[in-house]
Amino acid sequence: MQLPLKGIIPPMVTPLLENKELDLVGVNNLVVHLLQGGVHGIFILGTNGEGPSLSYALRKQLITEVCKIVDGAVPVLVGITDTSLEGTLEIAHHSKKAGADALVVAPPFYFPISDQEMNTYLEAVAHLLPLPFLLYNIPSCTKLHLGIDVVRRARDLGAIGVKDSSGDIASLNRIIEEFRNEHDFSIIAGNELFLADTMLRGADGAVAGGANFFPGLFVELYNACLRKDQESIVELHRKVQKIDETIYQVENSQTSSIKAIKCALSLMGICGDSMAQPLAKLNPEQRAQVKNHLEELNYGEYFFL
Amino acid sequence: MQLPLKGIIPPMVTPLLENKELDLVGVNNLVVHLLQGGVHGIFILGTNGEGPSLSYALRKQLITEVCKIVDGAVPVLVGITDTSLEGTLEIAHHSKKAGADALVVAPPFYFPISDQEMNTYLEAVAHLLPLPFLLYNIPSCTKLHLGIDVVRRARDLGAIGVKDSSGDIASLNRIIEEFRNEHDFSIIAGNELFLADTMLRGADGAVAGGANFFPGLFVELYNACLRKDQESIVELHRKVQKIDETIYQVENSQTSSIKAIKCALSLMGICGDSMAQPLAKLNPEQRAQVKNHLEELNYGEYFFL
Amino acid sequence: MQLPLKGIIPPMVTPLLENKELDLVGVNNLVVHLLQGGVHGIFILGTNGEGPSLSYALRKQLITEVCKIVDGAVPVLVGITDTSLEGTLEIAHHSKKAGADALVVAPPFYFPISDQEMNTYLEAVAHLLPLPFLLYNIPSCTKLHLGIDVVRRARDLGAIGVKDSSGDIASLNRIIEEFRNEHDFSIIAGNELFLADTMLRGADGAVAGGANFFPGLFVELYNACLRKDQESIVELHRKVQKIDETIYQVENSQTSSIKAIKCALSLMGICGDSMAQPLAKLNPEQRAQVKNHLEELNYGEYFFL
Amino acid sequence: MQLPLKGIIPPMVTPLLENKELDLVGVNNLVVHLLQGGVHGIFILGTNGEGPSLSYALRKQLITEVCKIVDGAVPVLVGITDTSLEGTLEIAHHSKKAGADALVVAPPFYFPISDQEMNTYLEAVAHLLPLPFLLYNIPSCTKLHLGIDVVRRARDLGAIGVKDSSGDIASLNRIIEEFRNEHDFSIIAGNELFLADTMLRGADGAVAGGANFFPGLFVELYNACLRKDQESIVELHRKVQKIDETIYQVENSQTSSIKAIKCALSLMGICGDSMAQPLAKLNPEQRAQVKNHLEELNYGEYFFL
């Protein structure tokens, strides 16, 4: 893996069969779809990947499958966050064995902990990890909005980057300002709406949920940012925002985008829309709305590059 | 197990060795201490039990050990909450096999979900459980403050009670008002400070963290409530509150009481104070403060009944 | 005024005509209704009184009118909280001139401030007040949940009591534990559902919104608490809770109880239900529901003692 | 006044003497400083202007003074938000008489209200206003994060723009997307860190607190945005962010930037640093830190254009 990590790294959803087993055909379709779309990496078992909802066995199976299909074409990142340290390490070691490139670590998320407790946790865990790791800030799920001190501590402990999905642009800006000149430390926007703004200031890329279905759109926006082509940036950002304002709003819940992404992929014939408990797939009426939005957006050209 | 569940049911902490293996001697000491203190049940692998922080293997070992020691003397309740349905069921089935009496189910806690999604989850899970279950409301850890509709749904799906650790007395009062005449449905206060107030209105007992170290104090308060002995209630409640205002405040964090309970048990020679990641035991200075508070409180008489 | 303040002190709503002028007939009716109900004091211009929504001129007119009608029968307390110090003092001095007995001071509520800033504010303001004052904790409106340190500081600066409307029973219990033996310092529950529980532990009374329409119910509950008559307490508390579960839930908003109280008073013919901007009175359908609830509750006996 | 409002519109702080009277010399200095800095408008009595903390008399005096000094050079906007409708209208009518150009309306901020209640409020108030108005979204002070529906309703009721100080870039982006083609409706970022990002997508300007002391910096950044000069934008944005990361962090409170702005102006000899209750000026040590930061930033060139 070449450092720093850069570019569009979709947080891949986990295709599941109706019986909740891994959808092997769907996994293959989706990985191929992403690679053809030109993405620069694949992040599995994150929030969009419903990582914590899956059994260890299924998580390991997914890691193995994705690494096999990707076969070194781009880096594979694996979310290893778990409330049990043993569980975290079990997934970490399997990732190494399967050929993944990096691990993504968020705070253990059952207990409400503080930045200081997260630092202590990182100190205990970092040296046990068999692969490079990124720090993952996602307070909507973990309850802890990691402060800049935790990012610094992770950096000192060897982290190769940070993925910020806090939705707090000020916080992400502060990280950029502090680390933009450290070229082996990647700053990855976890919110696709922040991709353009933060790239222009020094971020390295984005973990964009929407890149699951329109990978090419995000890769184009990323390239426009690299070229500092302001006109294209504004136009492509607008297209990204349209996804957020339509497809992601079909259901009114905090996890609506995850469900909508699987629904869209299902409508595209890439994989099914089955979700792991406790999330449920969109109902038929919502599915029809996603279909309408997809047709109106008419972004077919952005399937692939 | 005789229904409804009633009385003082300590949320037992999980004694761990410094190497994070189960402290078998500590487990034995603690269970014996609780039984001698007159408790009416034991709840393991809840929040105080650091359930989600432990590996499945350790959770199972603990269940087996506790059931063996208790040997039917009082009901054993097992927290089975997990973010993975498979994990939840694995612990549930082991509990049945080990001889536990009931399961305790909180929302899967990674994703922020709604009451409606929790209802759907319960509908999917309830009939898969091999033992009776209680609903567990603990929004500080799960992010979801279960509404009265979820309690109703759980009841309809066969729940034998609800344990409310929301810290929201109004919510608990509403539950009492609605279910106090359903005698096979237990209403258990998850906050020890609410024991007296809610018992007087119709609650059935409390899962009181402090009962780990002073089981007799809580059993006496419970008995005073049964007798409606207002004078004793006020006096004993004051003693409970003193624990909260001293020992639980030694550390300033949302999990301070869990750490303080293990520290107190360690000072009493019952088990060690080692915590599972991501929590850390109190430092020597804090430990000295707990020691001082214990001496000042001078509640030795409440070790046992 | 005899200290400490004790008993049932309704947070009187402010009767308004449709043109938003003061409803003088309604004010007279309501004050007489409260006095006949046996209340121990009247608190005007608090949250239920929509104090901050009213012009200074109207606030002064109300103070003058209420003091005239009460004529020393019970203490009159005036909410003087304002975002402008000059406004606060203007109302304070008018209160003194009109014959009111005490002032009620909450944090200035535009800026988010800290406990420490509130202490500094109290230090600046306390010695400028021409009448005794109580501290008023109502974070739902002021954004600041006053800590025990602020209560201590207010006490040191001469406060004669504290009214806690935080809805946080643990916080109120802590205040009771610390100040229950200071007999010239009143501890007043701002939440009517906490009246019984906190009285039994040493609180002095309650500012109960529901006492606007059923003063006698709350006075009876207060008296039952004084007698420590547990059976009556449970029964009367249940009646209070029923109001909360029915009438106050007719509208789904954070200010529903205020609107419902005025609506109930209007249905009883005591005053109109007109609200000051930005609140709006209940609509006809909601009004019909309040009417139904009133009939079902059938608490007519609690109009007066 | 020419519509739409555009450009840099500082939320002017209110210079006060130590005795809390208006600092007339300071007001003159500050207005002249802003005009020489090239600002496109002046917004008085907003949050930075401590509007709600000031008596009506002082608010009116300030309006009169500022209008006199500005004398039509740029539009003068007046914050009229108050918890009392009468107070709001009193300030509105005085603004008209004094020659101000527009009013700025946030939700009445004592009661927690909903979007729907805000719409009803706007319907009642809009036609009573004697001058054009902008909607003002500042949930940190008003508790209500105005949704897009309220912006639409305000637009329909004649609002000439919206100032969004929510700190929620997604919300501001949605507003831009919906209204950017309505050329008589101004979209003003209330957060100076969002100026560049939002201008590039179609916003019209910013109410930038930092423009109180370095008006030229913000005017340059605004001009760079107009020219779409990406290199200058990144460089100037970085300078703006540096202010946020240094001067605004000297004190750890939610109002630290307001205090720091007055402190900086005081160090520059423009006006004093006295604050209205309940805010307090920075202490000598903090003042020394602001001084150091000002020297290190060395932005003297941005006093004026």
Side-chain angles (χ1 to χ4, degrees), chain A residues 97-249:
Chain A
K97 220 175 65 185
D101 297 276
L103 307 170
V104 182
V105 180
F109 45 84
Y110 183 71
F111 289 110
I113 64 171
S114 64
D115 272 5
Q116 195 182 324
E117 289 175 298
M118 181 60 188
N119 280 343
T120 305
Y121 175 77
L122 285 173
E123 285 155 20
V125 172
H127 70 279
L128 301 175
L129 298 178
L131 285 173
F133 75 100
L134 289 93
L135 185 67
Y136 183 8
N137 188 25
I138 181 156
S140 62
C141 292
T142 63
K143 300 185 287 275
L144 179 64
H145 188 345
L146 302 174
I148 189 86
D149 282 348
V150 180
V151 184
R152 280 183 202 132
R153 195 75 197 96
R155 174 79 182 82
D156 292 345
L157 289 163
I160 61 168
V162 58
K163 161 178 173 350
D164 189 300
S165 302
S166 66
D168 176 355
I169 187 96
S171 155
L172 186 45
N173 282 345
R174 199 157 303 148
I175 292 170
I176 292 170
E177 200 51 34
E178 178 149 342
F179 296 100
R180 74 195 152 86
N181 293 321
E182 303 202 14
H183 293 301
D184 54 350
F185 189 75
S186 296
I187 303 166
I188 309 289
N191 184 318
E192 59 206 55
L193 293 171
F194 295 174
L195 168 59
D197 294 345
T198 57
M199 282 286 298
L200 294 173
R201 276 193 287 280
D204 296 292
V207 168
N212 272 287
F213 49 115
F214 293 123
L217 171 61
F218 292 86
V219 172
E220 272 208 23
L221 177 52
Y222 173 75
N223 288 332
C225 291
L226 288 185
R227 293 191 314 268
K228 307 202 182 205
D229 170 355
Q230 190 59 48
E231 207 164 313
S232 298
I233 291 172
V234 167
E235 186 201 343
L236 291 163
H237 173 91
R238 194 156 284 149
K239 292 191 172 186
V240 170
Q241 193 169 321
K242 280 282 176 211
I243 295 174
D244 180 71
E245 291 177 2
T246 56
I247 293 175
Y248 294 171
Q249 308 301 323

Side-chain angles (χ1 to χ4, degrees), chain C:
Chain C
M1 183 179 51
Q2 209 187 329
L3 293 185
L5 280 170
K6 275 173 186 290
I8 300 303
I9 306 169
M12 199 181 94
V13 300
T14 302
L16 297 173
L17 300 174
E18 285 301 314
N19 68 3
K20 310 302 182 190
E21 288 180 9
L22 192 61
D23 171 5
L24 291 172
V25 175
V27 170
N28 189 73
N29 287 347
L30 181 51
V31 172
V32 168
H33 172 71
L34 297 177
L35 293 177
Q36 288 185 325
V39 304
H40 306 88
I42 294 181
F43 169 38
I44 57 175
L45 295 175
T47 302
N48 278 276
E50 297 172 271
S53 301
L54 307 171
S55 71
Y56 293 151
L58 199 149
R59 292 188 222 180
K60 290 181 193 172
Q61 188 187 8
L62 178 75
I63 296 165
T64 300
E65 288 299 319
V66 170
C67 288
K68 209 186 309 173
I69 303 166
V70 170
D71 195 23
V74 298
V76 174
L77 286 65
V78 183
I80 60 169
T81 303
D82 201 279
T83 55
S84 146
L85 178 57
E86 288 74 16
T88 294
L89 294 177
E90 189 175 332
I91 300 301
H93 284 284
H94 183 85
S95 299
K96 159 90 172 177
K97 220 175 67 185
D101 296 277
L103 308 170
V104 181
V105 180
F109 46 84
Y110 184 70
F111 290 110
I113 64 172
S114 64
D115 272 4
Q116 194 182 325
E117 289 175 299
M118 182 59 189
N119 280 344
T120 305
Y121 175 76
L122 285 173
E123 285 155 20
V125 171
H127 70 279
L128 301 176
L129 299 178
L131 285 172
F133 74 100
L134 288 93
L135 186 66
Y136 184 7
N137 188 25
I138 181 155
S140 61
C141 292
T142 63
K143 298 184 288 268
L144 179 63
H145 189 345
L146 301 174
I148 190 84
D149 283 348
V150 179
V151 184
R152 280 184 202 132
R153 194 77 196 95
R155 174 79 182 83
D156 292 345
L157 290 163
I160 61 169
V162 59
K163 162 181 174 345
D164 189 301
S165 303
S166 66
D168 176 356
I169 188 95
S171 155
L172 186 45
N173 282 345
R174 199 157 304 149
I175 292 170
I176 292 171
E177 200 50 35
E178 177 149 343
F179 296 101
R180 75 196 151 86
N181 293 322
E182 303 202 13
H183 294 301
D184 54 349
F185 189 75
S186 298
I187 303 166
I188 309 288
N191 186 317
E192 60 206 56
L193 293 171
F194 296 173
L195 169 59
D197 295 344
T198 56
M199 281 285 298
L200 293 173
R201 278 194 286 278
D204 296 292
V207 167
N212 272 286
F213 50 116
F214 293 124
L217 170 61
F218 292 87
V219 172
E220 271 207 24
L221 177 51
Y222 173 75
N223 288 331
C225 291
L226 289 186
R227 293 193 312 269
K228 307 202 181 204
D229 170 355
Q230 190 60 47
E231 207 164 314
S232 298
I233 290 172
V234 167
E235 186 201 342
L236 292 162
H237 174 90
R238 196 156 282 148
K239 291 193 171 184
V240 169
Q241 194 171 320
K242 280 283 176 209
I243 296 174
D244 180 71
E245 291 178 0
T246 55
I247 293 176
Y248 295 172
Q249 308 300 324
V250 159
E251 195 212 24
N252 178 20
S253 82
Q254 291 190 66
T255 51
S256 62
S257 65
I258 310 178
K259 298 162 191 165
I261 290 168
K262 269 200 177 169
C263 179
L265 288 169
S266 163
L267 288 161
M268 292 168 171
I270 293 169
C271 66
D273 58 356
S274 192
M275 308 288 296
Q277 285 286 356
L279 304 187
K281 65 173 156 186
L282 298 186
N283 64 35
E285 190 190 345
Q286 292 164 332
R287 185 179 170 93
Q289 289 176 42
V290 172
K291 188 157 181 291
N292 284 344
H293 288 312
L294 280 173
E295 285 165 6
E296 279 168 31
L297 290 176
N298 192 24
Y299 288 174
E301 61 190 303
Y302 297 113
F303 273 30
F304 312 129
L305 268 198

